[in-house]
Every structure is written in C-alpha cells, then in structure tokens.
C-alpha cells in the first residue's frame, strides 16, 4: 500500500520561513518525480515546484527565488523550503509522487495535504 505523508506545516509571519517534508512508502519499483502543489480556499489546486529523479527542478514563477525543492531519491523523500513567505502563500500544501519511467508514468499518488498559514 502506497502512503504519501506531508509534515512540517504550520504558521509563519510575513517574511518568515517554513520547511515542508514529504515521504512516500510502499511505492512500486520505478523512478519517481516528486512535486509540491497547493490549494487556497475557493481556488483550484496549483502546481508549485517539482523535482525529477535526476535532480532537475522546475518552479512556477510565483515561487521562484523564494521556494526551494530538494529530494532524497533513494528514500523517496522531498522537502520544500519556503522563504520570504507572503499571506497569499496561505493554503493547503500537497505532495504528489508521479511515475517517471515508461512503465509507471501513469501512476500518481497524493498526500492528504498540510496546512500553511502566513499572517501579515
């Protein structure tokens, strides 16, 4: 059984920092792309950043330079360092694990999400 679990959320003030962690277990044999998404109240879930098994990272413009993704590919873990937080970063944050090889590219797993609140 695959489990994806986020941790490290909470509250911060504007300009502060938080670090999120995500670990996956029970994954089938495959290389996995790991990404962070968020969903604010009344809005759709949006992609923030992802990291491929080879370490190549990609970011959406709104978080580039403020958020940093890193991973431990062997341990199927990923972290999100969030700096210079803004109130508009308040949202539920989700970790997504996506198959990277041809035989698992259609496999996707989501965590349950973790709350981040940024106060002004």
């Amino acid at each position: 059984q695959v489990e994806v679990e986020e941790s490290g959320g909470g509250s911060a003030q504007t300009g502060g920092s938080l670090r999120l962690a995500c670990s996956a277990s029970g994954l089938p044999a495959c290389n996995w792309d790991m990404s962070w998404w968020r969903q604010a109240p009344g809005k759709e879930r949006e992609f923030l950043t992802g990291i491929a098994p080879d370490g190549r990272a990609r970011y959406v413009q709104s978080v580039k330079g403020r958020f940093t993704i890193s991973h431990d590919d062997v341990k199927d873990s990923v972290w999100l360092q969030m700096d210079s937080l803004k109130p508009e970063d308040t949202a539920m944050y989700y970790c997504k694990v996506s198959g990277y090889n041809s035989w698992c590219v259609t496999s996707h797993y989501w965590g349950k999400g973790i709350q981040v609140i940024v106060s002004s």
Side-chain angles (χ1 to χ4, degrees):
Q1 182 177 354
V2 176
E3 293 186 354
V4 179
E5 185 173 9
E6 302 96 342
S7 61
S11 299
Q13 293 190 331
T14 297
S17 299
L18 285 172
R19 183 175 174 86
L20 304 183
C22 170
S23 63
S25 60
L27 292 171
C30 184
N31 291 314
W32 299 96
D33 180 280
M34 302 184 81
S35 57
W36 289 97
W37 299 60
R38 70 184 179 192
Q39 186 168 18
K43 295 187 177 181
E44 294 189 355
R45 191 172 298 186
E46 63 172 343
F47 168 82
L48 298 178
T49 177
I51 189 164
D54 63 3
R56 287 178 297 166
R58 57 201 186 275
Y59 297 89
V60 69
Q61 189 62 38
S62 62
V63 305
K64 193 175 293 185
R66 298 191 301 122
F67 291 8
T68 304
I69 191 171
S70 58
H71 76 152
D72 184 330
D73 187 43
V74 174
K75 296 182 179 180
D76 292 326
S77 298
V78 65
W79 295 268
L80 181 64
Q81 177 67 39
M82 303 187 293
D83 299 317
S84 302
L85 284 164
K86 305 174 182 180
E88 50 263 44
D89 294 319
T90 295
M92 285 290 291
Y93 283 68
Y94 296 89
C95 177
K96 181 183 180 182
V97 182
S98 303
Y100 195 78
N101 303 103
S102 59
W103 62 87
C104 58
V105 69
T106 59
S107 297
H108 305 278
Y109 305 97
W110 289 91
K112 294 181 180 180
I114 195 163
Q115 183 72 52
V116 170
I117 299 173
V118 183
S119 57
S120 57

